[in-house]
Amino acid sequence: MAKNSANGEHQATKKPPPTPSPLRFSKFFQPNMRILVTGGAGFIGSHLVDKLMENEKNEVIVADNYFTGSKDNLKKWIGHPRFELIRHDVTEPLLVEVDQIYHLACPASPIFYKYNPVKTIKTNVIGTLNMLGLAKRVGARILLTSTSEVYGDPLVHPQPESYWGNVNPIGVRSCYDEGKRVAETLMFDYHRQHGIEIRIARIFNTYGPRMNIDDGRVVSNFIAQALRDEPLTVQLPGTQTRSFCYVSDMVDGLIRLMEGEHTGPINIGNPGEFTMIELAETVKELINPNIEIKMVENTPDDPRQRKPDITTAKELLGWEPKVKLRDGLPLMEEDFRLRLGVSKKE
Ligand SMILES: NC(=O)c1ccc[n+]([C@@H]2O[C@H](COP(=O)([O-])OP(=O)(O)OC[C@H]3O[C@@H](n4cnc5c(N)ncnc54)[C@H](O)[C@@H]3O)[C@@H](O)[C@H]2O)c1
Ligand SMILES: O=c1ccn([C@@H]2O[C@H](COP(=O)(O)OP(=O)(O)O[C@H]3OC[C@@H](O)[C@H](O)[C@H]3O)[C@@H](O)[C@H]2O)c(=O)[nH]1
């Protein structure tokens, strides 16, 4: 068992970080916090950018290759003096002077991460190496958005951070879940070997406005299907469970982790657990009671259960989610209605 890693006990021999720019000590220059968000044009990333931009002391730089993200998600910030957007693939090195790095860049929906698995694993491994190299060079603190998928098809339920997981290393999901596991390893090796300040969030299924309409993940699929009067496609057996976190809660957890004193890994997710049949029934009840629920084939290695143990997040970050599924779904419905051009029937 890992020795309580969530308590930040992996301190090891620390080298001092590089000396900050002389401007940092200038009496006349009050520098802002310069923050890089990789994958900031995506779903969680763009909500994180919105929150970071609310603080006038923050300058935000987004680096994204637009594989699953879009400039549209950031349109309100383009042209803002504290905001910069760079088309950049994290598998290539990046040199920017920053104080913090939120490293999110990686396709997250299974249909997208399986589309080009070699690219997905390169994004996780080479992309994380590049961002760690940057953190080392400029002395930045770096937060990795890891995933509940590091627990694979978990044999321990709910999943605490101390659980090492049950992952198929050669399956069709491995490019993502093994990729994230290696990314976590790299984070800790840079921390132990080079004294880099790291933070690791293990994110559980997150949903909310701005998800791609055809993203392929279950909540966006069901809402889009309900609004298009199409059957809700529950993949067999339908008894598999997930725990869904609303995006504003997620962003709050990520910022607390970055600003706090603990390396993690820390689970960030909502412990409310639902079977996929229950989720379909809830969407049907809330959005379109006339819709059919259809059972369809599943894909290999689909985890049968998933629920975060968030004791660590509560204790170390003072964080817990506030938005219940029944309250979050209508907020997402509103956004999907606008984008699909489907108005509510009176
Ligand atoms: N949403 C979830 O339920 C969830 C759960 C666990 C972990 N995560 C993690 O959170 C992060 C964000 O997820 P999301 O749901 O917002 O996904 P998303 O697909 O909406 O966003 C990912 C962003 O990364 C960009 N990107 C992908 N590959 C890149 C590359 N090589 N270089 C630069 N940019 C690249 C995409 O264009 C996109 O803007 C990911 O790291 C994901 O693994 C998400
Ligand atoms: O239309 C659908 C889509 C999906 N599903 C089911 O819904 C469950 C959740 O599937 P999703 O594709 O939304 O997401 P998964 O939980 O499999 O993976 C996610 O996990 C955490 C993150 O790292 C990623 O966002 C993603 O990999 C699965 O059991 C899947 O079989 C359906 O029943 N119907």
Side-chain angles (χ1 to χ4, degrees):
M1 279 280 147
K3 180 106 170 91
N4 212 356
S5 52
N7 289 329
E9 285 179 14
H10 291 277
Q11 289 305 318
T13 45
K14 272 199 176 177
K15 282 191 198 161
T19 322
S21 140
L23 279 178
R24 294 257 129 194
F25 305 111
S26 157
K27 260 206 300 206
F28 308 104
F29 181 75
Q30 287 296 311
N32 288 343
M33 177 68 83
R34 297 158 306 178
I35 305 172
L36 172 64
V37 182
T38 75
F43 159 53
I44 299 179
S46 63
H47 285 277
L48 174 65
V49 169
D50 288 352
K51 192 72 193 172
L52 294 171
M53 285 295 292
E54 278 176 18
N55 182 341
E56 291 189 357
K57 285 261 155 224
N58 289 340
E59 277 173 25
V60 178
I61 302 170
V62 165
D64 201 297
N65 71 353
Y66 309 123
F67 174 45
T68 52
S70 139
K71 286 184 196 167
D72 230 32
N73 289 336
L74 296 167
K75 60 175 182 265
K76 72 174 173 199
W77 302 119
I78 293 172
H80 192 287
R82 288 186 287 108
F83 180 77
E84 274 174 71
L85 180 56
I86 308 171
R87 179 188 288 269
H88 178 80
D89 193 307
V90 292
T91 59
E92 301 294 333
L94 176 67
L95 281 181
V96 283
E97 291 286 331
V98 288
D99 305 294
Q100 293 183 339
I101 303 169
Y102 285 90
H103 178 38
L104 281 72
C106 178
S109 166
I111 57 169
F112 285 98
Y113 71 62
K114 290 179 196 169
Y115 168 76
N116 185 344
V118 173
K119 177 70 195 221
T120 300
I121 198 150
K122 280 187 181 169
T123 296
N124 278 315
V125 179
I126 302 172
T128 303
L129 262 174
N130 282 333
M131 290 309 113
L132 280 162
L134 175 65
K136 180 175 168 220
R137 182 168 177 155
V138 301
R141 180 179 289 183
I142 177 168
L143 179 150
L144 170 75
T145 51
S146 184
T147 168
S148 51
E149 292 224 16
V150 299
Y151 302 121
D153 187 11
L155 305 175
V156 171
H157 194 72
Q159 294 80 51
E161 292 86 354
S162 54
Y163 177 49
W164 286 357
N166 176 38
V167 176
N168 175 357
I170 56 166
V172 291
R173 298 177 85 100
S174 313
C175 58
Y176 184 77
D177 47 31
E178 291 288 21
K180 290 282 188 183
R181 285 167 71 96
V182 174
E184 288 197 13
T185 308
L186 287 168
M187 293 282 286
F188 269 97
D189 285 339
Y190 266 72
H191 173 58
R192 286 184 287 248
Q193 194 172 334
H194 300 299
I196 303 301
E197 284 193 68
I198 60 158
R199 303 288 183 265
I200 298 178
R202 289 191 181 148
I203 298 182
F204 283 65
N205 297 58
T206 301
Y207 69 100
R210 279 192 210 146
M211 285 184 92
N212 282 327
I213 305 266
D214 296 307
D215 177 277
R217 282 178 276 186
V218 68
V219 181
S220 44
N221 271 7
F222 285 179
I223 293 186
Q225 288 162 342
L227 295 177
R228 287 167 166 157
D229 287 320
E230 292 168 1
L232 308 186
T233 52
V234 173
Q235 294 175 350
L236 285 161
T239 49
Q240 69 273 34
T241 66
R242 292 295 186 275
S243 305
F244 299 102
C245 185
Y246 191 68
V247 67
S248 56
D249 284 331
M250 179 55 54
V251 165
D252 179 33
L254 295 178
I255 293 177
R256 277 173 193 247
L257 175 60
M258 177 64 106
E259 298 301 333
E261 296 306 314
H262 303 279
T263 58
I266 297 189
N267 289 338
I268 313 272
N270 190 322
E273 186 185 10
F274 300 87
T275 67
M276 292 312 102
I277 292 173
E278 284 168 345
L279 176 68
E281 278 164 356
T282 309
V283 168
K284 177 176 163 127
E285 180 203 325
L286 294 176
I287 301 179
N288 188 347
N290 302 320
I291 212 80
E292 181 200 339
I293 295 178
K294 183 168 124 193
M295 302 305 293
V296 299
E297 276 308 302
N298 203 335
T299 52
D301 293 342
D302 183 43
R304 282 165 294 184
Q305 53 182 358
R306 195 184 280 163
K307 170 183 168 141
D309 177 334
I310 59 162
T311 313
T312 312
K314 280 186 187 164
E315 285 176 10
L316 299 187
L317 307 179
W319 177 87
E320 64 182 312
K322 297 191 181 87
V323 183
K324 293 196 192 83
L325 185 65
R326 281 184 163 272
D327 299 327
L329 287 175
L331 303 173
M332 189 163 163
E333 175 194 350
E334 227 175 275
D335 170 66
F336 270 45
R337 278 192 189 280
L338 273 175
R339 286 195 282 154
L340 285 169
V342 180
S343 49
K344 208 162 186 151
K345 289 172 198 142
E346 294 308 322

